[in-house]
Amino acid sequence: MSVTIDIVGLPTGRIAFAPSPLAELCMALHALSQPAHHPGLHSWTTATTAALDPCLADRLLEGDFMWRGSFSDIFMPFAGIPGGTGRPAATLAEELDVLDRLDDERFVMAALEHCWLALYNEGTAASPLTDPAARTKALEAAAARGPRQLAFSLRLLDDTAAVRGWLRRLLEDCDEAFFAQTWRRIEPRQSADARHKAEVLRHKGLPAALREVSAALSVDPAERVVTVDKMVNGSATATDPRIGAGLVFVPTHFGWPHLMVLHAPGWRPVVHYPLGSPELASAPGSVELLQRRMEALAHPMRMRLCRSLARAPYTTSELAASYGISAPEVSRHLSVLKKAGLLRTRRQGRYVQHELDLATVARIGSDFIEGILR
């Protein structure tokens, strides 16, 4: 499984390395909402959460599905403006201005991409702003996540302009509360890394630059296709005339172990790569328990399910729909994972949701964690 990026005919000058304050704010919000994904950031997430104004923390919960279990493309608006530069702006305010330029349909589709991730990345999802069936599907998916997400999705579909204004104010308040200070501290390293990789590209070529980014990245000998090794299938083109040619690599301080690729049709592809790979702490366990857990994780379908379950809670029916298998088959796989002590289960109204216990999985090994969260 992999994500491929077609670069046939793409000039080297259209390949860029640049930090993005808005994309990094998304990753900071993700780290705050999913600290188990980022044990190396424990001190920062703990201190920031403790100092967060309760009102701001409550507002963040309303839209946290855009950065908690998935990473909405709205945090990389520079990639979605037809005819634009295709590169991040220098400041958060400038990137929020670019976000304001996204048309409503593109904004809503990206904000709700978790509802139909496969269709969204294939470009075949109907717009919930104009298609009643798509609206119903989006709201059903939101309801399965809980009342907050349903309320937000209703507001988004019924009054898109108001929600766009609400989101901008929320991100501006996050900047004032904690991100501006954090960005001043981490931006110099990101800029230095981007300059270094641009120099490697210029003097040593694309294969060397990709090796500098991640071992999960490669390019074929003819330099026609960039391949990103991920537990998901997808494709993108860096030469789509509808949006403009370009491929951007964006570093992130908060990202590890996530290596993300924006590959939605009609958007320029973006590779969001982490700086550094901190080691996860491990704890000893019995050989029998380890064997049971490794056997549970060895099945290809269970590995694919783990990719989703590591990001957010899912119901059995949601997983069945996402992977095209029956609900009883999903239940059997979940039962194996649960017997191995790898799942947490909770009830959300009439829905039963399952989630991977990342703290337990982390003790098995950082390679597996990095693989499913890449």
Side-chain angles (χ1 to χ4, degrees), residues 12-46:
T12 302
R14 299 299 299 176
I15 301 176
F17 294 86
S20 165
L22 182 55
E24 191 68 347
L25 176 53
C26 173
M27 294 310 303
L29 293 173
H30 170 74
L32 291 173
S33 64
Q34 291 280 40
H37 285 197
H38 307 276
L41 299 172
H42 176 74
S43 296
W44 182 85
T45 55
T46 301

Side-chain angles (χ1 to χ4, degrees), residues 119-182:
L119 295 179
Y120 174 80
N121 286 326
E122 292 172 3
T124 57
S127 171
L129 288 176
T130 56
D131 186 282
R135 175 188 171 94
T136 298
K137 182 178 179 180
L139 294 178
E140 287 177 348
R145 293 279 185 263
R148 281 183 180 271
Q149 187 161 328
L150 176 59
F152 180 91
S153 300
L154 280 167
R155 288 168 50 211
L156 178 63
L157 295 177
D158 292 340
D159 194 347
T160 305
V163 172
R164 295 184 69 152
W166 175 89
L167 180 61
R168 174 159 187 153
R169 289 191 297 274
L170 175 65
L171 299 178
E172 289 171 339
D173 289 346
C174 288
D175 188 47
E176 181 179 350
F178 65 88
F179 184 70
Q181 180 180 2
T182 299

Side-chain angles (χ1 to χ4, degrees), residues 77-366:
F78 58 86
I81 303 294
T85 66
R87 302 189 182 193
T91 68
L92 180 64
E94 289 174 314
E95 290 213 285
L96 291 175
D97 288 342
V98 177
L99 177 59
D100 287 342
R101 291 169 52 199
L102 283 180
D103 62 73
D104 282 350
E105 183 168 309
R106 190 179 292 255
F107 179 90
V108 169
M109 291 290 287
L112 298 179
E113 67 181 85
H114 67 285
C115 296
W116 39 54
L117 188 58
L119 295 179
Y120 174 80
N121 286 326
E122 292 172 3
T124 57
S127 171
L129 288 176
T130 56
D131 186 282
R135 175 188 171 94
T136 298
K137 182 178 179 180
L139 294 178
E140 287 177 348
R145 293 279 185 263
R148 281 183 180 271
Q149 187 161 328
L150 176 59
F152 180 91
S153 300
L154 280 167
R155 288 168 50 211
L156 178 63
L157 295 177
D158 292 340
D159 194 347
T160 305
V163 172
R164 295 184 69 152
W166 175 89
L167 180 61
R168 174 159 187 153
R169 289 191 297 274
L170 175 65
L171 299 178
E172 289 171 339
D173 289 346
C174 288
D175 188 47
E176 181 179 350
F178 65 88
F179 184 70
Q181 180 180 2
T182 299
W183 182 245
R184 284 193 295 270
R185 175 173 58 84
I186 65 177
E187 184 276 333
R189 183 189 175 196
Q190 292 193 13
S191 293
D193 182 84
R195 288 193 298 270
H196 167 71
K197 287 180 172 55
E199 285 298 306
V200 172
L201 174 65
R202 186 175 300 112
H203 296 294
K204 297 183 179 181
L206 182 59
L210 294 180
R211 286 194 295 271
E212 292 266 339
V213 173
S214 171
L217 287 168
S218 62
V219 64
D220 66 299
E223 298 190 11
R224 299 169 62 88
V225 177
V226 172
T227 300
V228 188
D229 183 26
K230 289 173 64 71
M231 288 182 63
V232 63
N233 289 318
S235 62
T237 176
T239 57
D240 187 344
R242 297 173 299 170
I243 187 72
L247 171 59
V248 181
F249 294 83
V250 177
T252 167
H253 170 82
F254 292 102
W256 188 90
H258 307 293
L259 174 64
M260 293 166 293
V261 185
L262 192 167
H263 58 96
W267 295 66
R268 288 182 177 88
V270 179
V271 177
H272 201 193
Y273 65 93
L275 298 177
S277 302
E279 293 297 326
L280 290 169
S282 61
S286 70
V287 173
E288 180 184 358
L289 178 61
L290 178 61
Q291 180 179 348
R292 187 160 64 248
R293 288 176 172 170
M294 295 300 288
E295 288 174 350
L297 295 170
H299 193 284
M301 178 52 70
R302 286 197 286 273
M303 286 187 67
R304 295 177 67 191
L305 292 173
C306 283
R307 185 176 189 276
S308 295
L309 295 167
R311 285 166 164 75
Y314 282 87
T315 64
T316 300
S317 58
E318 285 180 309
L319 292 170
S322 296
Y323 290 97
I325 60 178
S326 68
E329 187 176 358
V330 171
S331 295
R332 286 193 293 271
H333 287 306
L334 295 180
S335 177
V336 173
L337 293 170
K338 191 170 184 178
K339 287 179 180 177
L342 300 174
L343 280 190
R344 293 196 300 262
T345 300
R346 68 181 185 187
R347 181 169 291 278
Q348 178 75 41
R350 61 189 180 92
Y351 300 98
V352 176
Q353 298 178 327
H354 310 279
E355 188 174 26
L356 200 65
D357 188 337
L358 286 172
T360 299
V361 176
R363 292 197 291 270
I364 297 174
S366 60

